[in-house]
């Protein structure tokens, strides 16, 4: 029986481990993780900080008992520091601080990503926090409770920054969100980013865009965030939310090649170029289904997918990762914003003649009084009408997220925008319209592109 | 320029007319309709009766002005009584009661469906109502307001019956719902029908299943609905909601063939067998994408689709109707129930070795306190794992409808249940989980079928 070792006990590692045991109950799987939190939902940290989740243990997708009951050996607080591919051993610092060698026949590296920490003066002060791991989350929570912090500055207006703006604001804090770009959420069109900014404004969050942080002063009993154009904001804490980079140090040490953004190079079987070593999750490159090449696109969903594929292949399967479309959603107070596929500028950069047509529609029959408005942006190839990407924003109960997923599924299958109208989608007046808004958006795209080409 | 006539001004007729003008602004399109309500949402009638829509005019998808602005000639209160395919003329009773002949080069029959009225003693009494047309709706509304009716019996526990149970109950009426079958909503599995029944019970609607209505007595100042097993319910009004049948009399008169349930036979171009005559909507057979044959499956969504296809082909296009999957959704108070594709028994009747596996899951990460539970039933082919159908029930804000539509889109593309896990769907903790519940349901289906085949 081959000895299977997994380094990393988060989404990719545990998904892989569970899949292996599901397919073959005879395999022995050992998961080593650096911290004490196997299989925790780090996406849930903002909800812990925001107070919706009172017990941190609830953030576990599964408890340790459940993982052990699934037949996994879980070794918390085991820090892998070296891989020897020739002798097939893993060098580990165990909880007692001793070095220990673990032999393996098959190894999965699922080491994840770490928060980017910009090199700025004052960044190492007490009160400046990243938020990526459970440890980060508990540390931040402790600080907030101990200090009774009143003011927060968040650096970065991406997914984490926005969720944390809501979370800290829900605690009654005064929140200032700083974003370097001219609009929030650089993964969607600025017009949607601005609507998110308006929603934050309505909820009392101060948003400053186009601001580059220059450093953090230690002011009189408070931090002072300095920025350009001229900015100085007093704050009790500073949250850094400027992205993540792959945790690939272990892999580099054994000379595994890294590619995009420093992430491990893997094929669609999640194999590294070294026989016997697989890799998956936020530390590796991700095959992009539309671009047909690897990119760095770390997402919890992708980590689960890749882990499951790796797990299957490690126990003898032969399955390809179907690829990511970069499908994402965020809920910011009462607005939901989702996206999939390529933005127009990404498509244009690939040489695709992409056209995006914006469309607005009530989410359901507008004779019912509570209809919220959806903002839909479909991007398609002007030559053959193929769907390339979609973005959607709308108020919370209007099924933005799963409506976008219909488009993600269409995109998965390479549908044209016109063919969206062929889909047989569900309708009842309080939930949709006889043509779903995504189909109307598709019809509008067709009219606009056809009018444009006639005009040209 | 060919003269294009359309008989019927509801979903199919108007969709066709608008599509024709969209593709060719030079065509002249005349729409004749029997009543005075072109392009009204008859699916909205329960919301008019329930009081959420105060002005009946708001039920119009588009006003007469908008239809005329789109270049359509709309002739309300024109009742077509004969078609002569040889001379290409339509015989019409105009609003003055006179017979008028309309010549046509291309004719679209979009005559819709009418409510089934069972032959029962007492069915023609005042206080017994069908509900299909705007006229039906206004008549019922007038009666309710005039009589201040307090008690209602609804015959039929399908989509309309359930929506009307909520509507009448919202008016403060005592509602009794009678269903012949052992459970409500025969288009979904009884276990889901029973959950709908529980929801109605919680809201004070009395539901009696397994009851056949035998007749309606005129009791002392009230109607009395008699049923078997022994039943007598006093009521101020009786609503008949036992289905619809195609309105195909006009077509029969010109000897157009009818098929399933008396609906017009059409091909996927929405052509009847008579050159120059197209037909679409609730009066015609519907191509079923999975069964690969025509069935009778009248739905507003399908009427829109078929109308659009007919419109395109009438002005010289060549487009096939992609087919229906029978995708439907209903919201009953706070529960949403949706379905697509084949139920297990339908698939088995087709000789397909269908297996259905039920699955329950929180709609999103359960560490957030408001997670509602989804009930998902996936039906697949045990030989190749192909998805054959899906049903889902869950509380309102949990995106049941569009989540089911992801499955409808997967079904449209002939996906296997296993491949659902390849879809890149959106995730954020308050709205889903890293594997969407439909993917977890698919994984559960795979485990169950694999365990079953190992056991066999």
């Amino acid at each position: 029986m081959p000895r299977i070792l997994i380094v990393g006990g988060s989404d990719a590692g545990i998904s892989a481990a569970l899949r292996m045991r599901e397919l073959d109950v005879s395999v022995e799987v050992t998961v080593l993780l650096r911290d004490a939190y196997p299989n925790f939902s780090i996406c849930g940290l903002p909800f812990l900080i925001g107070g919706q989740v009172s017990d941190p243990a609830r953030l576990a997708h599964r408890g340790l008992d459940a993982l052990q009951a699934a037949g996994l050996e879980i070794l918390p607080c085991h820090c892998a520091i070296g891989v020897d591919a020739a002798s097939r051993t893993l060098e580990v610092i165990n909880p007692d601080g001793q070095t220990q060698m673990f032999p393996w026949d098959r190894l999965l590296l699922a080491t994840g990503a770490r928060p980017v920490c910009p090199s700025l003066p004052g960044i190492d002060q007490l009160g400046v926090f990243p938020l990526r791991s459970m440890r980060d989350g508990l540390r931040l929570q402790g600080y907030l409770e101990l200090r009774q912090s009143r003011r927060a500055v968040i650096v970065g207006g991406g997914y984490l920054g926005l969720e944390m703006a809501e979370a800290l604001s829900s605690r009654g804090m005064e929140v200032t969100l700083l974003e370097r770009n001219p609009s929030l959420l650089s993964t969607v069109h600025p017009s949607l980013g601005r609507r998110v900014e308006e929603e934050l404004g309505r909820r009392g969050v101060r948003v400053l865009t186009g601001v580059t942080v220059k450093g953090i002063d230690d002011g009189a009993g408070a931090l002072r965030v300095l920025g350009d154009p001229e900015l100085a904001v007093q704050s009790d804490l500073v949250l850094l939310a400027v992205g993540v980079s792959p945790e690939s140090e272990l892999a580099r040490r054994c000379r595994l090649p890294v590619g995009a953004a420093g992430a491990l190079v893997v094929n669609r079987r999640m194999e590294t170029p070294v026989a016997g070593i697989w890799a998956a999750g936020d530390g590796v490159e991700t095959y992009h289904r539309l671009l047909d090449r690897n990119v760095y696109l770390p997402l919890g969903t992708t980590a689960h997918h890749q882990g499951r594929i790796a797990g299957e292949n490690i126990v003898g399967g032969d399955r390809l990762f179907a690829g990511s479309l970069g499908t994402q959603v965020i809920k910011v107070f009462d607005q939901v914003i989702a996206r999939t596929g390529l933005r127009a500028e990404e498509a244009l950069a690939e040489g695709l003649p992409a056209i995006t047509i914006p469309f607005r529609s009530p989410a359901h029959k507008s004779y019912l009084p509570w209809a919220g408005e959806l903002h839909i942006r479909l991007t398609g190839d002007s030559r053959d009408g193929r769907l390339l990407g979609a973005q959607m924003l709308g108020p919370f109960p209007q099924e933005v997220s799963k409506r976008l997923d219909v488009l993600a599924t269409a995109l998965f299958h390479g549908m044209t925008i016109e063919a969206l109208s062929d889909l047989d989608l569900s309708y009842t007046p309080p939930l949709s319209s006889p043509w779903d808004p995504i189909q109307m958006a598709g019809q509008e795209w067709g009219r606009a592109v056809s009018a444009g080409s006639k005009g040209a």
Side-chain angles (χ1 to χ4, degrees), chain A:
Chain A
M1 191 54 55
R3 283 154 301 178
I4 301 172
L5 279 196
I6 299 178
V7 181
S10 193
D11 295 348
I14 298 293
S15 291
L18 292 171
R19 183 61 173 157
M20 291 177 208
R21 293 279 308 170
E22 180 175 274
L23 292 171
D24 185 351
V25 286
S26 75
V27 295
E28 284 169 22
V29 183
T30 301
V31 181
L32 302 103
L33 61 152
R34 205 160 42 176
D35 65 16
Y37 306 99
N39 207 203
F40 271 65
S41 168
I42 55 173
C43 299
L45 288 174
F47 307 96
L48 177 69
I49 304 298
Q52 292 101 321
V53 180
S54 49
D55 178 2
R58 292 221 58 206
L59 289 186
H61 290 302
R62 288 166 202 81
L64 191 57
D65 289 358
L67 295 171
Q68 285 166 345
L72 307 182
E73 184 184 25
I74 306 283
L75 301 180
C77 305
H78 281 69
C79 184
I81 57 165
V83 178
D84 186 330
S87 66
R88 298 208 163 179
T89 49
L90 185 73
E91 190 180 354
V92 173
I93 308 283
N94 72 18
D96 302 326
Q98 290 158 336
T99 303
Q100 202 178 336
M101 302 305 285
F102 284 77
W104 49 268
D105 297 301
R106 296 171 196 171
L107 177 68
L108 173 65
L109 298 177
T111 48
R114 61 181 158 200
V116 167
C117 188
S119 314
L120 289 175
I123 202 87
D124 291 324
Q125 289 176 84
L126 185 67
V128 182
F129 291 88
L131 183 60
R132 173 73 190 172
S133 63
M134 281 305 295
R135 185 170 158 274
D136 292 339
L138 295 172
R139 207 162 67 96
L140 174 58
Q141 194 185 32
Y143 184 89
L144 287 169
E145 279 165 15
L146 195 69
R147 299 284 183 119
Q148 298 288 313
S149 309
R150 204 170 51 74
R151 298 163 302 181
V153 167
I154 298 171
V155 182
Y159 288 80
L160 179 62
L162 296 183
E163 284 175 342
M164 285 304 296
E166 178 171 347
L168 295 176
S169 176
S170 304
R171 291 180 74 108
M173 292 175 72
E174 249 174 55
V175 178
T176 303
L177 180 66
L178 306 180
E179 166 59 44
R180 193 177 46 182
N181 293 312
S183 62
L184 299 178
L185 272 181
S186 61
T187 52
V188 300
H189 190 261
S191 63
L192 304 186
R194 274 193 294 274
R195 290 188 173 271
V196 176
E197 188 175 335
E198 286 162 20
E199 175 74 357
L200 288 166
R202 280 191 292 273
R203 304 309 185 111
V205 174
R206 182 182 173 213
V207 179
L208 301 174
T209 56
V211 170
T212 306
V213 173
K214 291 291 179 194
I216 303 167
D217 259 8
D218 186 4
L223 299 166
R224 201 164 58 123
V225 180
L226 306 172
D228 178 29
E230 202 178 340
L231 174 86
V233 189
Q234 297 271 336
S235 184
D236 303 313
L237 84 96
V238 177
L239 186 84
L240 300 173
V242 292
V244 299
S245 64
E247 182 69 85
S248 49
E249 210 181 300
L250 184 65
R252 282 172 201 259
R253 281 198 207 145
C254 67
R255 300 207 168 72
L256 283 170
V258 295
L264 264 77
V265 174
V266 287
N267 63 18
R268 291 178 64 190
R269 288 185 180 79
M270 309 316 298
E271 294 164 333
T272 70
V274 175
I277 305 183
W278 284 257
D282 290 353
V284 313
E285 291 191 335
T286 291
Y287 174 72
H288 194 289
R289 191 172 173 88
L290 294 182
L291 299 177
D292 190 27
R293 66 162 187 270
N294 281 359
V295 296
Y296 186 56
L297 193 43
L299 288 167
T301 45
T302 304
H304 278 83
H305 287 220
Q306 290 182 340
R308 193 168 195 263
I309 300 288
E312 185 159 342
N313 292 335
I314 288 171
V315 296
D318 182 20
R319 189 174 294 276
L320 295 184
F321 172 52
S324 171
L325 297 167
T327 311
Q328 287 175 283
V329 64
I330 182 174
K331 178 172 175 291
V332 181
F333 291 103
D334 275 352
Q335 295 292 316
V336 178
I337 310 94
R339 68 166 316 274
T340 188
L342 305 178
R343 281 166 289 159
E345 62 271 30
E346 286 173 318
L348 291 168
E350 297 290 320
L352 299 168
I355 296 184
T356 301
I357 303 296
F359 182 74
R360 290 161 67 149
S361 163
H364 56 70
K365 288 312 297 174
S366 56
Y367 50 72
L368 292 175
W370 56 86
E373 194 175 46
L374 297 180
H375 295 256
I376 302 174
R377 298 177 66 85
L378 296 185
T379 299
D381 187 314
S382 64
R383 297 165 306 186
D384 54 11
R386 193 165 55 103
L387 179 64
L388 296 173
Q391 307 184 357
M392 198 182 308
L393 176 145
F396 164 57
Q398 307 289 3
E399 308 202 41
V400 167
S401 148
K402 294 302 133 184
R403 184 174 264 124
L404 186 280
D405 281 352
V406 176
L407 291 166
T409 306
L411 199 53
F412 182 92
H413 288 285
M415 288 184 87
T416 64
I417 289 181
E418 184 168 48
L420 294 175
S421 289
D422 287 337
L423 293 174
D424 185 16
L425 304 178
S426 63
Y427 160 57
T428 181
L431 300 176
S432 187
S433 43
W435 293 110
D436 188 90
I438 64 174
Q439 295 176 311
M440 293 193 278
Q443 292 164 13
E444 179 66 21
W445 192 92
R447 278 189 289 270
V449 170
S450 145
S453 65
K454 277 175 194 156

